[in-house]
Amino acid sequence: VLGVGVLIEDITERRRAEEERAHLYREAQEAVRVRDDFLSIASHELKTPLTPLSLRLATLERRLERGENLDPGVLRHARHQLTRLTGLINDLLDASRIEAGRLALHPEATRFDLLVEHTLAGMEGQKGNHTFDFEPPQEPISVHGDTFRLEQVISNLLENALKYSPDGGTIRVRLSLTDDVAVLSVADPGIGIPEDQQQQLFDRYFRARNASTRSYGGLGLGLYISRDIVERHGGRIWVESVPGRGSTFYVALPTLASVRPALPQVWPDR
Ligand code: ADP
C-alpha cells in the first residue's frame, strides 16, 4: 500500500512538472508570436513613407535637371514623410531605452499649462479639418518635470485623437487643478476602444482590434512610452471610452508645490 502511495505521488508530481513545462512553452511561443507580428508591422510601417518620399525626390530631381523651379508643395510632402519616419524610429528607440531602464529624465520647474498651449500650437499644421477646443485654466499650473518628455506625452495623445476620429471632429482639451494634482484630459469623438481592451492599451506593442483591423497605421508604442514617462513623474494615465462614440485620455501629475520637498536634485535613471 505504501509503495502504491509513493507511486501515485510520484506520478502526480511528474504530471505537475509536465503541465508547468507546457505552460512555459506556450508563454514562450506567445512571446515569439508577438515579436514576429511586431517585426512585420514595424517593417511595413517604416517602409510606407519611403515610396512617396522617393517619388517626390525623383520629381524634384527632374525639375532641377530641366532647370525648372522647385515646387514647395513637393518639398513639404517630402519633409512630412521624413518627419513621420523620424517619429517611428524615435518611438522604437524610446521603447528599447525603457526596456533597458535607460530613458533619462531631466526634470525642472515647468509651467504645464503653457506646455499644453505650446504643444497645441505646434500641431496646427497637422490637425487638418479637426478643431482643438482648449480652455486655458484659470490659474498657472506648474509641475516638476521633463519638458521634452511631457510634450511627447501631450502630442502623443493629441495625435491619437486626430488619427482615431473622423475628419472635422472637435477635440476637447481641458486642464484642471484639484488638490495639488494637475489633470489633463483629451476627449475625441472617434472610434473608441472595445471595453475588454481598454486595460491593455498601455502595454508594449498593443493595438486594439478596431484600430488594427482598419487601416490606421501605428506601432502600438506611443501609449506604452507615455505611461512610462507619466508614472516616472509620479503621475497616472488612464482612459475612459465608449466604443463607436469616442475616448477621453487623462493624465494626472503632481504639481510642483506638492513634490518639491521630496525630490532629489537629479532624478537617477531607473
Ligand atoms: P498606435 O496609435 O501607434 O497604434 P498607441 O500606443 O499610441 O499606438 O496606441 C495604442 C492603441 O490604443 C492604438 O493602436 C489604438 O488601438 C488605441 N488608441 C489610442 N488612442 C486612441 C483613441 N484616441 N481612440 C481610439 N483608440 C485609441
Side-chain angles (χ1 to χ4, degrees):
V1 172
L2 196 65
V4 172
V6 168
L7 189 63
I8 288 175
E9 213 164 87
D10 193 34
I11 289 172
T12 319
E13 184 51 44
R14 214 180 302 160
R15 185 166 302 152
R16 201 177 300 134
E18 255 164 37
E19 273 168 13
E20 173 72 5
R21 247 201 317 276
H23 176 69
L24 287 176
Y25 180 69
R26 274 196 304 275
E27 275 194 343
Q29 265 187 327
E30 174 63 10
V32 168
R33 192 190 60 77
V34 168
R35 202 200 50 196
D36 285 352
D37 282 359
F38 175 72
L39 278 179
S40 86
I41 291 170
S43 335
H44 178 77
E45 284 287 309
L46 290 172
K47 256 186 81 179
T48 306
L50 291 181
T51 312
L53 182 59
S54 59
L55 280 175
R56 300 221 151 87
L57 289 180
T59 308
L60 292 174
E61 218 168 20
R62 233 180 5 253
R63 281 176 171 260
L64 260 183
E65 278 165 9
R66 292 190 198 138
E68 293 170 1
N69 282 340
L70 293 188
D71 181 349
V74 175
L75 272 172
R76 208 168 33 245
H77 277 118
R79 170 168 290 285
H80 172 75
Q81 301 302 340
L82 267 181
T83 308
R84 213 178 130 192
L85 207 51
T86 311
L88 291 169
I89 293 170
N90 281 337
D91 277 0
L92 286 168
L93 284 172
D94 284 345
S96 67
R97 285 190 188 113
I98 290 172
E99 285 302 299
R102 292 224 175 87
L103 186 93
L105 291 182
H106 305 284
E108 56 190 345
T110 300
R111 280 280 299 277
F112 192 52
D113 53 330
L114 296 184
L115 193 59
V116 172
E117 245 181 280
H118 169 80
T119 312
L120 278 164
M123 293 192 54
E124 280 300 306
Q126 290 179 52
K127 76 178 171 55
N129 294 322
H130 287 89
T131 308
F132 286 126
D133 163 15
F134 176 56
E135 265 172 34
Q138 303 285 332
E139 57 213 306
I141 297 183
S142 297
V143 299
H144 192 258
D146 184 317
T147 318
F148 175 75
R149 293 299 176 184
L150 289 179
E151 179 168 348
Q152 183 178 357
V153 172
I154 303 163
S155 53
N156 177 228
L157 295 184
L158 295 174
E159 278 162 13
N160 280 348
L162 293 174
K163 177 160 86 174
Y164 297 109
S165 59
D167 201 23
T170 296
I171 290 147
R172 230 178 87 115
V173 181
R174 290 291 180 271
L175 184 55
S176 64
L177 190 62
T178 321
D179 296 337
D180 277 345
V181 177
V183 179
L184 170 73
S185 64
V186 177
D188 68 60
I191 61 173
I193 298 139
E195 198 109 5
D196 61 322
Q197 301 196 310
Q198 295 179 7
Q199 292 302 317
Q200 300 162 69
L201 285 197
F202 304 90
D203 291 351
R204 190 168 52 144
Y205 307 148
F206 188 84
R207 308 203 66 221
R209 271 193 301 279
N210 58 348
S212 51
T213 51
R214 298 199 224 158
S215 49
Y216 297 99
L219 294 176
L221 289 176
L223 289 178
Y224 167 72
I225 297 167
S226 294
R227 183 185 59 183
D228 188 81
I229 294 170
V230 169
E231 289 184 350
R232 285 177 60 207
H233 278 82
R236 212 160 70 77
I237 182 168
W238 72 98
V239 66
E240 281 168 10
S241 176
V242 180
R245 286 275 190 82
S247 315
T248 305
F249 282 83
Y250 297 88
V251 169
L253 289 173
T255 57
L256 184 62
S258 69
V259 290
R260 192 187 259 152
L263 273 180
Q265 287 299 305
V266 175
W267 280 6
D269 286 352
R270 206 175 41 171

